[in-house]
Amino acid sequence: SATAFKWDFEGPDAGQIYGELRSLTAFEIIYPIFNIIVLAAQMVPYAFIERSELVAENTRHEQIERAAKQVEGIRQMEETLFPNSHLDPGETLKIIFWTEMMITCSLIVLFLACAFFDIPKKLSDARAKLLMSDKYRAEVTKSHWSSVVLFGSLLGFAETFVTLSISL
């Protein structure tokens, strides 16, 4: 960490420091990133609350009935697919919930990492470099299904997907 001072050499306040510039500490660099991750983790539970629960509690019975129907449907599906399995429907719902939670949290971390490391710009640069290469131009004239051409299309798709995902 470095620090630079600016001193006043003239006038009645000669010898005083009137400016200071320093580099950021590791804590000052990491703390905003940590705050973004904590904020994202705090917002995740709201993704699983239905709007009706936030607005009014009078639909609670309908939700319980729907959940009971879903549990019954899952039980019937389990008996059809796995006749010798004796999984508790509650355990099945827990497995489904935690699987969805892991996928959601993974996507949140992925999108935050993409935004932090400016992945859309890097994908755009890589695609532009590929499209300007002589090998790409030669392959395009031969076949539209060559590996280089397909990789260029894949880079374009990835760039569009990541850009849209971050902007939403």
Side-chain angles (χ1 to χ4, degrees):
S1 146
T3 305
F5 293 98
K6 193 168 184 181
W7 297 80
D8 187 13
F9 293 111
E10 297 177 13
D13 57 349
Q16 291 185 359
I17 298 173
Y18 71 91
E20 180 180 352
L21 179 68
R22 65 178 179 81
S23 59
L24 296 175
T25 63
F27 175 77
E28 292 170 322
I29 294 170
I30 295 172
Y31 187 71
I33 298 166
F34 176 75
N35 277 341
I36 290 171
I37 293 170
V38 168
L39 176 66
Q42 289 173 341
M43 297 305 287
V44 166
Y46 292 110
F48 300 101
I49 296 176
E50 289 189 10
R51 190 175 299 276
S52 60
E53 287 180 275
L54 295 174
V55 176
E57 284 293 321
N58 60 0
T59 59
R60 197 66 165 148
H61 296 292
E62 294 172 7
Q63 292 172 356
I64 292 171
E65 289 173 9
R66 265 190 292 160
K69 287 179 184 175
Q70 288 176 348
V71 168
E72 187 58 35
I74 291 171
R75 183 177 294 140
Q76 289 174 356
M77 183 177 65
E78 284 176 350
E79 290 173 2
T80 304
L81 296 175
F82 309 106
N84 297 328
S85 145
H86 299 290
L87 277 178
D88 178 25
E91 289 299 316
T92 305
L93 290 175
K94 285 181 187 176
I95 292 169
I96 292 170
F97 170 78
W98 285 112
T99 304
E100 288 177 352
M101 183 61 120
M102 288 188 323
I103 291 170
T104 302
C105 290
S106 300
L107 288 174
I108 289 171
V109 169
L110 174 70
F111 293 147
L112 289 174
C114 286
F116 180 73
F117 293 112
D118 199 19
I119 299 298
K121 173 86 169 93
K122 291 179 181 175
L123 285 171
S124 176
D125 292 346
R127 184 166 182 255
K129 187 176 180 180
L130 177 70
L131 294 178
M132 294 299 175
S133 69
D134 293 332
K135 185 173 183 177
Y136 179 82
R137 290 180 184 166
E139 291 291 328
V140 160
T141 57
K142 289 183 198 173
S143 167
H144 289 286
W145 294 104
S146 70
S147 60
V148 176
V149 175
L150 292 176
F151 186 69
S153 300
L154 180 67
L155 277 176
F157 172 75
E159 175 190 354
T160 304
F161 176 74
V162 171
T163 304
L164 288 176
S165 300
I166 291 173
S167 65
L168 294 178

